[in-house]
Amino acid sequence: MTRSISYSFKRLIVSFLAVTLICLWSMNSSRVDEKFRTGARETQEVGKRFYVKSGKCEMRYVDPFNAEFLKINRPKQFIPCTNESDLVSAHYDKILHQYVLHINEEVLHELSGSKTNDFACFYQKIIYGQSADHYDGKGRRTKISQNYLVPLDVEGMLVECTTADEMRVLQRDAFVFVQYKDPPQKVRLEKRASVIMYGIDTVSRTNLRRMMPMVHEFLKSPGWYEMMGYNKVADNSFPNIFAMLTGISPESAESRICNTDADGCLDKIPFIWKEFKKVGYSTAYAEDEEHSNTFNYAKPGFAVKPTDYYFRPFLTALENETSIQYCPGCQMKYCLGRRLANSYIFDYCRQFMQRFVADRPIWGMFWTNHYSHDDLFMLSAMQHKILEDLLSFEKDGAFEHTIMIFFSDHGARFGPLMYTKEAFLEERLPMMFIYLPPWFRIKYPQYARALAQNQNRLSSNFDLYNTLKHIINIEGLVESTKRSYDCPRCQSLFYPLPENRSCSEAGIPEAYCTCHNYEEVQEDRGTWRMAELVVDRINQYLQHHNLQSLCSNLTLRVVNVTEVRMLEIEEHVSQGKGLRHYHTKFQVHQNLAQFSATVLYDRRTEELQINVELISRINKYRPDAECLEEDVQKLYCICLSKIRNNETIFTFQ
Ligand SMILES: *[C@@H]1O[C@H](CO)[C@@H](O)[C@H](O)[C@H]1NC(C)=O
Ligand SMILES: *[C@@H]1O[C@H](CO)[C@@H](O)[C@H](O)[C@H]1NC(C)=O
Ligand SMILES: *[C@@H]1O[C@H](CO)[C@@H](O)[C@H](O)[C@H]1NC(C)=O
Ligand SMILES: *[C@@H]1O[C@H](CO)[C@@H](O)[C@H](O)[C@H]1NC(C)=O
Ligand SMILES: *[C@@H]1O[C@H](CO)[C@@H](O)[C@H](O)[C@H]1NC(C)=O
């Protein structure tokens, strides 16, 4: 009783805050108001202690606002790119199937300081590159008249408006357009589910609850399912996204198809979007922050345009041609010209759905990292923007048609959360929400039921891949979808997952597995020795990869925490041998780099089993590893050229 009263009270406060904040953010608040008053269904979280609880998996629920977090909490204020109103805006004419540019005369008068309607606006088309990942330059300056019809071959443009005498620039802007194209083949009669993937880098399910409570509230609306037992399968963005989109790990790709580091390899990979395209879907892919793009950061990118609509050439143009603004303390580009970097991506997403979602099946992935990757608190500044995206999609009717996946790749991997007790869970439990539109729930009630049941069962990226495969072949009489290569026991999330599932059955290595209970052990000579042996394995790894001329050998400085796994039930751990699983968190002398490792270790014989590439680096590594290109090795490399003299390191030698 007490709980339900205080809970309703809390909801009231959330609703009130949501409504107030949204009103401040945008004048168009009535929709939100209604949303929060009619309310999403009751959350089942209050008082809950586990996301998953079964014989083989106990995934603990973390209180988002525990005392440890409150100590480091520094929510951020939203900073707009500009306070100026839009001089030029674009809208889509549904009869002409064409975009129209409109000059706002009120804004014109304001900016020019004149009451006349004279202006001179020009655009330059962004020209697609010879290679798929870059633009090649700008077209000629073309004059824009009031209500100008954008030619169909223009998918991106830079705009400049000046006074009529062209003496003074009034405003510069940039636009990207999803231009209408006819469906790739005759649309089949039965309705097929579109899939839109809205992704944000580095958002754990706990951090979503802390930083974006209003978005979380939205994601409780009918049709949304949170996969609360979703656990990442690899360290950083690339392998996690790769698993989701291919069902294989980059290592298996290397042995079966090609090395994803090699030029041209990514073009050969059977990404899921190719399979969607094969069965008649129109496809799109977009990301912000050029240097961190999933397929371009320490990777070769694409030589051939991968999807029908591909944003990256426009991104390279925007980053090269517009004025870039950074927010305080931000390392990634915050504004491109007058707009937030991520707003181009989600406008592109919105247009893609507006153009096509009602008349053909589509698949698209839209991924942002520019604000979330480096600072976990930036999500709080951005939550209105994200909520506004979702509400815009809703207003457009997109949720009547499409399956939406709202997700992340992993949680924070460096920064203040890494020093908390819950760092291990924070890093490994990305948010994962799946939305099923009403028609889909009616047509396939058994799939909706299974998905609901699976919310509190262990799941992984490979299951998500299988689910995408299942959607492609949803009318198949039996589940003939090929299962994920690197997880033969993974399955579509539209079928009930085994209740007693283990991490290995879900393709999750022990180093990333959040199912097991570990308890802290007292530091002693043995725990130090174990960490020392781990450091030595890193050194051997560097030597094995011939990196010793570039990277420093490491020496142990501090062992922060050692934990031992409580119940060893995995088949591969032979009890008799005295091997136990440990977590060890430690720091080395070299640039005070910090690591967290999961090892199998026998304290008596000092036998140690570890895969070095599964050791997590828990502070920022990029500045230390600038001498290397390869992304996995970077984590363990402190470049000799970057060694800082923190203290007397080599005195013992
Ligand atoms: C799950 O596994 C545990 C431990 O292995 C076992 O005791 C239990 O009976 C299993 N439950 C189900 C539903 O299979
Ligand atoms: C916008 O207005 C706010 C409040 O007046 C001000 O603090 C901020 O600096 C302005 N931003 C820009 C980019 O001019
Ligand atoms: C990028 O901008 C620079 C400087 O304005 C320019 O010289 C270069 O040609 C631009 N790149 C492309 C591909 O147009
Ligand atoms: C670095 O560590 C490796 C592995 O322990 C060792 O073989 C090598 O001699 C060390 N190199 C230096 C320069 O100390
Ligand atoms: C480990 O201990 C060192 C020394 O006390 C400290 O500076 C560092 O922040 C600790 N690291 C973690 C992850 O707790």
Side-chain angles (χ1 to χ4, degrees):
M1 195 60 202
T2 334
R3 183 191 290 162
S4 80
I5 289 171
S6 71
Y7 181 62
S8 328
F9 183 67
K10 205 179 98 207
R11 268 199 67 92
L12 242 164
I13 301 264
V14 169
S15 312
F16 174 75
L17 274 178
V19 171
T20 320
L21 284 167
I22 289 280
C23 289
L24 292 173
W25 166 256
S26 112
M27 297 309 288
N28 178 19
S29 69
S30 58
R31 191 66 207 85
V32 188
D33 213 4
E34 184 194 318
K35 164 127 241 136
F36 284 95
R37 238 188 264 126
T38 52
R41 62 171 194 269
E42 289 273 307
T43 168
Q44 300 125 22
E45 263 161 32
V46 181
K48 199 159 134 197
R49 290 175 49 232
F50 295 97
Y51 281 121
V52 175
K53 193 167 182 351
S54 75
K56 291 205 180 139
C57 184
E58 289 195 356
M59 192 185 283
R60 269 189 303 119
Y61 172 80
V62 177
D63 173 11
F65 294 100
N66 60 17
E68 244 188 331
F69 177 73
L70 292 178
K71 262 188 252 158
I72 57 169
N73 190 13
R74 303 275 178 283
K76 291 226 162 157
Q77 285 292 315
F78 177 75
I79 302 169
C81 293
T82 175
N83 292 334
E84 260 177 27
S85 306
D86 296 342
L87 177 55
V88 182
S89 57
H91 77 267
Y92 190 72
D93 186 308
K94 285 184 180 146
I95 293 159
L96 297 172
H97 277 333
Q98 238 173 316
Y99 287 89
V100 180
L101 295 180
H102 180 77
I103 316 288
N104 183 323
E105 285 169 4
E106 222 172 280
V107 178
L108 176 67
H109 298 161
E110 205 176 290
L111 294 175
S112 64
S114 142
K115 286 268 177 292
T116 69
N117 284 348
D118 299 335
F119 64 91
C121 285
F122 300 88
Y123 81 85
Q124 287 182 283
K125 172 182 167 173
I126 295 167
I127 297 173
Y128 256 132
Q130 296 293 318
S131 92
D133 278 345
H134 295 275
Y135 83 114
D136 265 357
K138 298 172 283 184
R140 66 187 167 78
R141 265 166 77 87
T142 307
K143 192 144 190 174
I144 299 170
S145 47
Q146 181 61 291
N147 296 327
Y148 180 82
L149 281 179
V150 177
L152 289 173
D153 65 316
V154 177
E155 294 183 63
M157 62 162 63
L158 300 156
V159 171
E160 184 177 273
C161 287
T162 65
T163 49
D165 57 8
E166 296 186 37
M167 296 298 281
R168 184 159 64 89
V169 175
L170 299 176
Q171 199 171 79
R172 292 197 173 89
D173 212 338
F175 297 91
V176 180
F177 304 111
V178 172
Q179 293 283 14
Y180 186 85
K181 287 175 199 154
D182 287 327
Q185 44 182 250
K186 213 160 174 267
V187 180
R188 291 204 262 155
L189 282 179
E190 89 270 20
K191 190 169 170 75
R192 317 189 59 198
S194 292
V195 180
I196 294 295
M197 302 176 66
Y198 185 123
I200 311 174
D201 201 302
T202 315
V203 190
S204 70
R205 79 197 49 151
T206 311
N207 212 33
L208 167 80
R209 287 165 167 77
R210 293 181 184 117
M211 292 291 135
M212 305 201 290
M214 296 186 307
V215 173
H216 185 217
E217 204 58 34
F218 179 91
L219 296 170
K220 289 177 191 161
S221 326
W224 283 99
Y225 301 83
E226 178 174 17
M227 307 320 290
M228 288 184 254
Y230 183 79
N231 191 123
K232 74 171 186 174
V233 296
D235 182 46
N236 60 1
S237 305
F238 182 77
N240 280 302
I241 291 176
F242 196 78
M244 204 179 270
L245 298 178
T246 67
I248 58 181
S249 66
E251 295 75 32
S252 296
E254 185 172 354
S255 58
R256 294 179 63 222
I257 309 163
C258 54
N259 179 349
T260 56
D261 293 342
D263 279 347
C265 175
L266 292 175
D267 300 285
K268 298 190 196 116
I269 299 289
F271 284 106
I272 196 77
W273 60 69
K274 294 185 178 170
E275 302 183 41
F276 276 106
K277 193 170 165 63
K278 235 184 268 165
V279 297
Y281 281 64
S282 294
T283 58
Y285 189 88
E287 281 191 60
D288 55 26
E289 192 62 32
E290 181 181 341
H291 292 296
S292 300
N293 279 184
T294 308
F295 302 110
N296 302 82
Y297 172 69
K299 296 284 169 195
F302 296 100
V304 181
K305 191 178 170 192
T307 49
D308 299 321
Y309 294 87
Y310 186 50
F311 185 77
R312 186 172 158 92
F314 305 113
L315 177 66
T316 60
L318 293 169
E319 292 201 5
N320 197 42
E321 304 281 355
T322 65
S323 64
I324 291 169
Q325 297 177 57
Y326 294 84
C327 60
C330 295
Q331 281 155 33
M332 293 191 175
K333 299 172 194 81
Y334 182 70
C335 303
L336 302 175
R338 306 181 61 248
R339 297 161 199 277
L340 286 170
N342 76 75
S343 72
Y344 293 96
I345 305 304
F346 296 109
D347 282 352
Y348 199 63
C349 174
R350 187 176 182 190
Q351 288 182 40
F352 184 57
M353 288 192 284
Q354 285 171 332
R355 287 306 68 77
F356 304 127
V357 80
D359 76 27
R360 70 180 72 170
I362 58 176
W363 177 91
M365 174 159 153
F366 303 86
W367 180 257
T368 179
N369 64 42
H370 79 93
Y371 63 89
S372 61
H373 186 273
D374 288 344
D375 183 347
L376 70 115
F377 299 114
M378 278 301 287
L379 282 177
S380 65
M382 210 57 74
Q383 80 159 330
H384 318 91
K385 163 69 176 73
I386 296 162
L387 185 56
E388 198 193 51
D389 287 340
L390 293 168
L391 292 169
S392 304
F393 301 161
E394 184 175 62
K395 190 172 121 216
D396 293 347
F399 289 118
E400 294 305 311
H401 300 283
T402 189
I403 293 178
M404 188 166 292
I405 300 174
F406 186 86
F407 72 110
S408 188
D409 47 357
H410 49 72
R413 292 167 52 236
F414 50 82
L417 284 174
M418 292 296 96
Y419 302 91
T420 66
K421 261 191 79 173
E422 311 294 0
F424 189 84
L425 299 178
E426 166 64 31
E427 193 180 320
R428 287 158 179 78
L429 298 176
M431 62 171 184
M432 172 59 70
F433 292 82
I434 299 174
Y435 170 82
L436 302 180
W439 70 268
F440 188 93
R441 279 176 269 152
I442 291 165
K443 187 163 179 195
Y444 307 105
Q446 72 279 26
Y447 295 159
R449 256 198 319 276
L451 190 63
Q453 197 174 57
N454 289 339
Q455 289 185 281
N456 292 102
R457 294 189 179 174
L458 180 65
S459 59
S460 78
N461 309 45
F462 295 115
D463 297 315
L464 194 91
Y465 173 76
N466 284 331
T467 312
L468 295 174
K469 293 277 284 194
H470 190 180
I471 292 168
I472 291 172
N473 184 33
I474 200 123
E475 293 297 345
L477 291 179
V478 285
E479 191 209 1
S480 63
T481 58
K482 207 167 38 189
R483 296 177 183 216
S484 291
Y485 177 82
D486 275 304
C487 183
R489 296 172 78 171
C490 283
Q491 60 166 72
S492 162
L493 294 170
F494 295 153
Y495 293 113
L497 288 165
E499 195 184 337
N500 243 356
R501 204 177 193 210
S502 67
C503 276
S504 59
E505 284 161 358
I508 304 160
E510 180 67 20
Y512 302 122
C513 177
T514 57
C515 285
H516 302 140
N517 188 14
Y518 279 73
E519 280 186 9
E520 197 168 336
V521 294
Q522 281 298 316
E523 299 301 326
D524 60 14
R525 285 230 312 274
T527 55
W528 178 272
R529 179 67 187 146
M530 181 174 78
E532 219 170 36
L533 289 170
V534 173
V535 171
D536 192 55
R537 289 297 172 86
I538 298 178
N539 292 338
Q540 288 172 21
Y541 172 90
L542 295 173
Q543 199 179 37
H544 178 75
H545 288 90
N546 289 323
L547 295 171
Q548 300 219 304
S549 57
L550 288 175
C551 314
S552 170
N553 261 7
L554 306 179
T555 49
L556 184 62
R557 179 175 183 266
V558 185
V559 177
N560 292 84
V561 191
T562 308
E563 295 174 333
V564 63
R565 185 167 151 192
M566 285 293 101
L567 268 177
E568 295 279 8
I569 46 173
E570 296 293 319
E571 317 71 49
H572 58 270
V573 180
S574 144
Q575 298 286 359
K577 277 178 74 184
L579 282 168
R580 301 285 301 269
H581 277 104
Y582 293 89
H583 289 156
T584 171
K585 217 190 244 195
F586 59 88
Q587 185 174 54
V588 296
H589 288 103
Q590 290 71 21
N591 290 7
L592 304 177
Q594 311 201 39
F595 299 89
S596 160
T598 300
V599 301
L600 253 182
Y601 183 60
D602 185 331
R603 284 174 76 109
R604 205 173 41 80
T605 62
E606 296 191 353
E607 178 183 347
L608 178 95
Q609 295 179 19
I610 189 168
N611 176 351
V612 168
E613 294 192 343
L614 300 188
I615 299 175
S616 303
R617 175 76 182 270
I618 55 173
N619 67 326
K620 272 192 197 173
Y621 63 88
R622 286 195 196 183
D624 293 333
E626 275 171 8
C627 60
L628 279 194
E629 286 299 326
E630 212 279 339
D631 64 337
V632 180
Q633 294 164 6
K634 270 175 182 284
L635 300 178
Y636 314 107
C637 178
I638 314 294
C639 298
L640 289 164
S641 57
K642 293 279 168 181
I643 285 276
R644 297 189 304 266
N645 269 325
N646 310 95
E647 39 181 49
T648 46
I649 294 170
F650 297 110
T651 46
F652 64 93
Q653 279 184 334

